[in-house]
Amino acid sequence: MSALTSVLSMGLATGVALYLAHTRLPGKRLIFGVLMLSIIAPPFVSSLVYIMLFGRRGLITRQLLGLNIDPYGWQGVALMQTAGFTAMAAPST
């Protein structure tokens, strides 16, 4: 799990950092703000937000996309760790 999330988060963080540093497209401040907010927010609050958005009956998965997935397996854990570690790694790269 640690190797998988490390590789995924560093790859995603490198892409986000390159986007923030080398493009003139709009949305850079929004992405940077979301990254900073996820670093500042306590992990418990972030976990609750992810569950409310992407859980079995979450707002995004069930209401908007109509998906019926189970995010509580190893894939969900890897996805949430990747999201958390990307937020920490992107501003520093």
Side-chain angles (χ1 to χ4, degrees):
M1 184 65 65
S2 64
L4 176 66
T5 56
S6 295
V7 168
L8 289 176
S9 63
M10 286 310 298
L12 190 60
T14 301
V16 169
L18 287 172
Y19 175 78
L20 290 175
H22 296 293
T23 62
R24 295 179 189 206
L25 298 174
K28 288 169 55 169
R29 295 183 91 182
L30 177 68
I31 292 172
F32 192 74
V34 168
L35 290 173
M36 289 298 116
L37 184 64
S38 62
I39 290 173
I40 294 170
F44 181 73
V45 173
S46 299
S47 298
L48 286 177
V49 168
Y50 288 137
I51 288 171
M52 290 175 71
L53 290 176
F54 300 106
R56 286 188 183 126
R57 303 204 32 100
L59 178 67
I60 293 176
T61 53
R62 184 74 170 199
Q63 304 292 328
L64 295 178
L65 300 176
L67 299 174
N68 191 14
I69 59 173
D70 185 18
Y72 300 112
W74 67 271
Q75 297 96 345
V77 172
L79 183 67
M80 290 302 109
Q81 283 186 342
T82 299
F85 294 145
T86 299
M88 289 183 220
S92 62
T93 47

